[in-house]
Structure formats: structure tokens, C-alpha cells
């Protein structure tokens, strides 16, 4: 059934359709309406789940760590400072191999206080061991929740689903909400082999001495890399059942492109408009959209981005003292190529500032006119 819903409610519906059993909730703008709707769904009986109200985001993540250890499909959501407060427990969830799904509404990090879109919050958690998936539309948000559980439970890794504050969280779009029986055919019940069970006692979270810890971390890394093998298969199965196609990266008008713009999140939609406008002017430009950022799909990036002379990377995030995170990591991955593209790093739209199609056309024109990308990012739209 097609409905007009906001991005946050696309998450709520994805959680309902995934038959999640435990939801922990602590409010923070702009995430709050996700768990508000989930509380109503649980109260109405539409979802047979335990809804746990907690006193902080740290507790919200701790609650789902406990539930997932007990073998229960679990969910929570947060944003910005709330995600940062979860930091310690994010490491625990990943190291314990718990297939939790977390929705993070990308919001700028304080100070100064800012509730608008910025990806610095999730990217600052990139070393916690969580899979990170970036979404462009409300349909992609709903679909990604369902696919995230299928991926997480097969590989036994937690998945962080991210999307831009207000551009999606509070904006309504047409979303095809599938019937729950269709989702059942794609996402089987979660039945882990190992779980906390008083009838079959096992020990979890114990001390790991130096002769074991190293191998434990290697195993976590090895299995996390399996995401890059499993996710394309999950996407193909999803397309077979629901008809919508996703992948690790997505290309747009790249066939004969001499320059591509690399984006993640809602700037992708704006960039498509700019690419079309530049094509109408005879400029051979295209677009590559990043979806999975952790684990780093290095071979995919080399295979896709290595084909083009110029790569312009738009970062709606900033690591002070370095620049944008996406550009930094893409440069690192492409370095091993004998013939590598010139990477033009661009920082734009921090704290929810609008990035328009005209801005993107200006960024593309600037890159087309420069042979040397330089080492410093272009801070587009910075006021004097």
C-alpha cells in the first residue's frame, strides 16, 4: 500500500514489518517521532513487542544489548549527542556480535547547538564496528530497515541506518509500505544458535586474556568484511520480492563521464538535478552514490571510481584538522591504483545549510576548471 509518510515514520513501519520484539526509547530531536509512533504501534497491539522507556541513550543501547544477547530481535533510535553518549556500548554491541539495528537521524554535533542535518555524528562512530548504511529517500529508509535485519542476523553484526535530519526525518514522501506477510517471506524469525537462556546456561562478556583477545578482534574484522559479500545477495533477494533495486554504491549517468560527483544522503537527489543540468550543457559528468560506508567497500570503490579522471567528493561532515571524512577515505582507498583519479574534496551544507542544484553546478564547474585538486578541501558556500 502506498502511503505519504515522513522519514521517521518510514523507520517505524520498517520496525513493525520486521516484527521486532524489543524497542528501547529515549527522546532526542529529530529522532523522537520514530519511537513515539512505535509506542503507539505497541500500545495498539499492532506489534507484539516490549517497549522500554529508559533514562538516557547509554541505557537505550544497553537495554537492546541485553535483549539481543537473550536472542531477541531488537531496535533503538537516536541522533547526534545521543549517539555520542552511546559510544561505549556501540563498541560492546559490535564486539559481542549482536545483530541490533539502530536508526540514527544525522544531526550536527554541538557546540553550538544545532538540530539540522550533518553527518559528523555517525561518521565519528565509524570505528565502533557497526555497519553504516546511508539513505537518500523515505522509501530507501523503510526498505533499508528490513534489509538491515536480514544482513545483521546472517553475519551477526550490528547495523546503523542513517539519514538526514528534517530533509527526510520530517518530510513526507510517497512510500510503498509492503504487507507484513511479504516481509515474512523475506525476513525469517530470528533464532540465534547461541543466546542467554536459563535452560541452557552459557557465559557471555567474560574476560579475554592476551592469548585470546587478538584472535577475537581479528574474527570480528574478518566477519564484518563478509558484509560486502552478503549485502549484494540480500539486495538481489529484496529486489526479487519487492521490485526495488539497491546496492553498495549506485551510479547515475556515468557511462561516458569524465567527472563524477560522489555523495551520501539527500545531497544525492540535488546532485542528480545538477548532473542533468550539466549534461544539457554538454558537460560529461555523472554521479556515484555511496550507501555502505562501513565496512569500507574498497574494491568496489576502486572498480567504480577508478574509471574516471576526476572525482568530486561532497562531505556534509567535517573532521577538524583534516577535512571531510568521505574524501579522506576515498583518497586512501584509491592510492594503490597505478592510474588513479584526481580527487576533489568539498565540504558543504554543514549544520543543515541548504545545498542547491546551483551550488552543485558551481562545485562541478570549479572542479572542471582546475587540474590540481590541491590538498585542502573546497569549503563551498563559506561566508567571509
Amino acid at each position: 500500500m502506498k502511503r505519504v509518510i515522513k522519514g521517521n515514520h518510514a523507520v517505524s513501519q520498517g520496525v513493525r514489518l520486521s516484527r521486532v520484539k524489543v524497542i528501547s526509547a529515549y527522546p532526542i530531536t529529530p529522532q523522537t517521532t520514530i519511537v513515539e509512533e512505535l509506542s503507539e504501534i505497541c500500545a495498539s497491539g499492532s506489534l507484539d513487542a516490549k517497549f522500554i522507556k529508559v533514562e538516557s541513550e547509554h541505557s537505550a543501547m544497553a537495554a537492546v544489548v541485553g535483549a539481543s544477547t537473550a536472542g531477541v530481535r531488537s531496535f533503538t533510535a537516536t541522533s547526534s549527542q545521543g549517539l555520542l553518549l552511546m559510544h561505549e556500548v556501540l563498541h560492546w554491541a559490535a564486539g559481542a556480535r549482536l545483530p541490533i539495528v539502530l536508526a540514527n537521524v544525522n544531526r550536527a554535533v554541538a557546540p553550538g547547538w544545532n538540530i539540522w542535518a550533518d553527518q559528523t555524528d555517525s561518521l565519528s562512530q565509524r570505528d565502533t564496528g557497526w555497519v553504516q548504511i546511508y539513505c537518500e529517500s523515505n522509501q530507501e529508509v523503510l526498505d533499508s530497515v528490513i534489509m538491515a535485519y536480514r544482513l545483521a542476523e546472517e553475519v551477526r553484526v550490528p547495523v546503523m541506518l542513517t539519514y538526514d535530519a528534517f530533509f527526510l526525518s520530517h518530510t513526507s514522501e510517497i512510500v510503498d509500505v509492503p504487507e507484513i506477510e511479504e516481509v515474512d517471506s523475506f525476513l525469517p524469525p530470528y533464532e540465534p544458535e547461541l543466546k542467554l537462556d536459563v535452560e541452557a546456561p552459557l557465559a557471555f562478556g567474560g574476560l579475554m586474556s592476551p592469548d585470546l583477545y587478538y584472535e577475537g578482534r581479528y574474527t570480528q574484522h574478518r566477519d564484518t568484511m563478509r558484509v560486502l559479500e552478503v549485502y549484494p545477495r540480500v539486495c538481489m533477494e529484496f529486489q526479487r520480492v519487492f521490485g526495488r533495486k539497491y546496492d553498495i554504491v549506485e551510479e547515475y549517468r556515468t557511462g561516458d563521464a569524465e567527472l563524477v560527483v560522489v555523495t551520501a544522503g539527500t545531497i544525492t537527489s540535488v546532485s542528480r538535478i545538477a548532473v542533468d543540468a550539466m549534461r544539457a550543457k554538454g558537460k560529461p559528468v555523472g554521479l556515484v552514490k555511496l550507501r555502505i560506508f562501513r565496512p569500507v567497500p574498497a574494491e568496489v570503490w576502486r572498480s567504480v571510481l577508478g574509471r574516471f579522471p576526476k572525482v568530486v567528493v561532497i562531505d556534509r561532515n567535517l573532521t577538524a584538522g583534516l577535512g571531510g571524512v568521505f574524501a579522506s577515505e576515498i583518497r586512501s582507498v584509491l592510492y594503490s591504483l597505478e592510474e588513479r583519479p584526481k580527487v576533489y574534496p568539498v565540504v558543504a551544507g554543514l549544520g543543515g545549510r541548504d545545498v542547491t542544484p546551483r551550488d552543485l553546478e558551481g562545485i562541478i564547474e570549479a572542479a572542471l576548471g582546475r587540474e590540481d585538486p590541491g590538498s585542502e578541501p573546497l569549503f563551498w558556500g563559506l561566508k567571509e
Side-chain angles (χ1 to χ4, degrees), residues 251-258 260 279 284-287 307-308:
E251 301 185 46
Y252 180 69
R253 303 192 74 169
T254 59
D256 60 345
E258 297 178 6
V260 291
R279 284 280 180 175
V285 301
L287 170 69
R307 308 192 328 249
F308 309 106

Side-chain angles (χ1 to χ4, degrees), residues 260 308-312 331 334 340-345 370-373:
V260 291
F308 309 106
K310 293 186 176 181
V311 172
V312 179
R331 270 182 162 166
L334 298 181
R340 51 184 176 273
K342 295 178 180 178
V343 177
Y344 294 74
R370 290 171 53 200
E371 285 305 312
D372 181 8

Side-chain angles (χ1 to χ4, degrees), residues 333-347:
V333 164
L334 298 181
Y335 185 77
S336 62
L337 294 176
E338 288 188 12
E339 293 187 13
R340 51 184 176 273
K342 295 178 180 178
V343 177
Y344 294 74
V346 179
V347 174

Side-chain angles (χ1 to χ4, degrees), residues 110-146:
W113 283 115
N114 180 303
I115 59 172
W116 290 276
D118 189 305
Q119 296 163 332
T120 305
D121 58 350
S122 56
L123 290 169
S124 71
Q125 304 304 311
R126 62 190 183 275
D127 296 331
T128 57
W130 283 61
V131 176
Q132 289 196 358
I133 298 174
Y134 288 78
C135 298
E136 177 191 355
S137 69
N138 292 352
Q139 182 71 65
E140 186 176 352
V141 167
L142 185 149
D143 294 344
S144 294
V145 172
I146 298 167

Side-chain angles (χ1 to χ4, degrees), residues 23-171:
I23 300 161
S24 62
Y26 188 79
I28 183 170
T29 302
Q31 171 280 126
T32 304
T33 55
I34 297 175
V35 292
E36 278 183 351
E37 184 170 78
L38 282 170
S39 72
E40 295 169 359
I41 290 172
C42 292
S44 70
S46 299
L47 178 64
D48 180 18
K50 181 74 173 179
F51 189 89
I52 306 173
K53 294 172 287 184
V54 295
E55 76 282 8
S56 74
E57 288 88 353
H58 189 281
S59 297
M61 182 51 61
V64 291
V65 162
S68 188
T69 305
V72 176
R73 186 172 287 163
S74 307
F75 172 84
T76 191
T78 191
S79 184
S80 184
Q81 313 295 130
L83 181 66
L84 307 189
L85 188 55
M86 288 180 174
H87 177 76
E88 176 198 357
V89 201
L90 293 178
H91 277 283
W92 190 273
R97 310 291 305 275
L98 300 173
I100 299 163
V101 172
L102 160 71
N104 178 67
V105 185
N106 281 128
R107 171 189 132 177
V109 172
W113 283 115
N114 180 303
I115 59 172
W116 290 276
D118 189 305
Q119 296 163 332
T120 305
D121 58 350
S122 56
L123 290 169
S124 71
Q125 304 304 311
R126 62 190 183 275
D127 296 331
T128 57
W130 283 61
V131 176
Q132 289 196 358
I133 298 174
Y134 288 78
C135 298
E136 177 191 355
S137 69
N138 292 352
Q139 182 71 65
E140 186 176 352
V141 167
L142 185 149
D143 294 344
S144 294
V145 172
I146 298 167
M147 288 192 289
Y149 279 109
R150 176 78 177 263
L151 173 70
E153 291 168 7
E154 179 167 342
V155 188
R156 297 196 60 159
V157 292
V159 177
M160 184 185 302
L161 174 76
T162 78
Y163 57 98
D164 290 338
F166 295 102
F167 293 124
L168 289 188
S169 66
H170 288 65
T171 300

